[in-house]
Amino acid sequence: MPRTGYPRKLLWRWRNNPLRRRHDIVEAWIVLATWTVVAVGGTVTGLVTASTADEMFARQRTERHSVRAELLNDVPRSTGALGGTDRRSASVRWTTPDGSIRTGRTLVSTGLKAGAKVTVWQDGQGQLALAPTGSAEATIESGFLGTTAALALAGLVFGAGAVARWRLDCRRFDEWDREWDLVGPRWGHKTS
């Protein structure tokens, strides 16, 4: 069975070779550093981002709680032809746990009359807030945010590696131009 030289070709920049230039070694280190940062940094960034987002969603679930509020004005039924969610912003009044009465605007279902009871969410300071994300949705969203962060880091690192390699290629082309300027005139004469 013939032996393939693929591992040798793959690692040619690392072998001791009389044709190897300093730029080849630098490029090999750039490629190695790029892949290492993408693999390790991307994993760490993704995990840290997902964990932080999951903690934030869990904190929202503990801080926010539902309160019964009274609708202050009528909310007309939606006549939209697109048929999206039938919710509109409306003024509501609610009582905080400390007994103070507050008013604010929040999204409520359409078609309700003034005085109707609706459920709103408030944060720890008694301000209106969005409903907290459920644990299953939070897990999915945390995973999505972690993956996005890892891919963003990978894109930045690959971009930086590509720019560094492009600069090396420009230097190589300049060196080849200088060398050709020295050797080219000797090849230009006719031998007939």
Side-chain angles (χ1 to χ4, degrees), residues 15-21:
R15 288 182 299 141
N16 208 5
N17 182 340
L19 299 177
R20 182 182 67 186
R21 298 162 297 189

Side-chain angles (χ1 to χ4, degrees), residues 50 53-54 57 133-148:
D54 201 35
F57 291 134
T133 307
S135 59
E137 295 163 336
T139 301
I140 292 169
E141 197 164 337
S142 297
F144 176 75
L145 290 172
T147 302
T148 303

Side-chain angles (χ1 to χ4, degrees), residues 66-108:
S66 62
V67 180
R68 294 296 290 170
E70 180 183 348
L71 195 57
L72 296 179
N73 45 2
D74 293 344
V75 182
R77 183 155 302 279
S78 176
T79 58
L82 297 178
T85 58
D86 286 25
R87 296 176 64 85
R88 286 197 179 169
S89 179
S91 296
V92 294
R93 179 177 40 230
W94 73 98
T95 304
T96 61
D98 65 1
S100 62
I101 297 175
R102 296 205 178 171
T103 59
R105 293 188 70 80
T106 189
L107 290 176
V108 296

Side-chain angles (χ1 to χ4, degrees), residues 177-188:
D177 285 342
R178 283 193 300 275
E179 289 174 8
W180 185 252
D181 287 342
L182 294 174
V183 176
R186 288 187 273 169
W187 286 21

